[in-house]
Amino acid sequence: MQGPNEWTVTGALRGWDVATGSRDRPTTLVIRGRHDMCTDPIAATLVEGISNACEVVLEESSHTPVLEETERYLEAISGSCGSVNEWSSASYVA
């Protein structure tokens, strides 16, 4: 789908743009670690470009929050974006 690596898009996703997709979507969770290369501006592009999206930033993680903060990661993917707002050590953007 992607291609030979994350920088060379040659597969089915070539030319795909999240902003041109359907605007009628279920809630989309953008989840990332605070210390990942997915910075605030990059994540904001996703959250703003996908209707009904929310963002969870796991403060003690980098690229693999599922391994670095497993409990909070599992809470995020099993809950709704609204419930994430109550976490004290994760930031939430609606």
Side-chain angles (χ1 to χ4, degrees):
M1 288 180 59
Q2 172 79 16
N5 58 53
E6 62 187 286
W7 299 280
T8 307
V9 182
T10 60
L13 294 177
R14 183 181 181 144
W16 180 78
D17 182 355
V18 68
T20 61
S22 170
R23 303 302 289 171
D24 183 26
R25 298 175 188 257
T27 301
T28 299
L29 177 62
V30 176
I31 187 168
R32 65 187 180 94
R34 171 63 64 201
H35 309 288
D36 192 5
M37 292 188 311
C38 180
T39 61
D40 291 342
I42 293 169
T45 299
L46 290 171
V47 173
E48 293 167 9
I50 302 171
S51 65
N52 203 21
C54 65
E55 177 185 14
V56 172
V57 179
L58 299 180
E59 296 296 336
E60 302 300 321
S61 298
S62 59
H63 191 65
T64 54
V66 66
L67 300 176
E68 297 163 300
E69 291 184 77
T70 303
E71 186 176 325
R72 290 209 182 270
Y73 180 90
L74 293 174
E75 288 175 13
I77 64 170
S78 65
S80 66
C81 287
S83 65
V84 173
N85 194 26
E86 299 170 8
W87 294 359
S88 59
S89 65
S91 55
Y92 169 77
V93 180

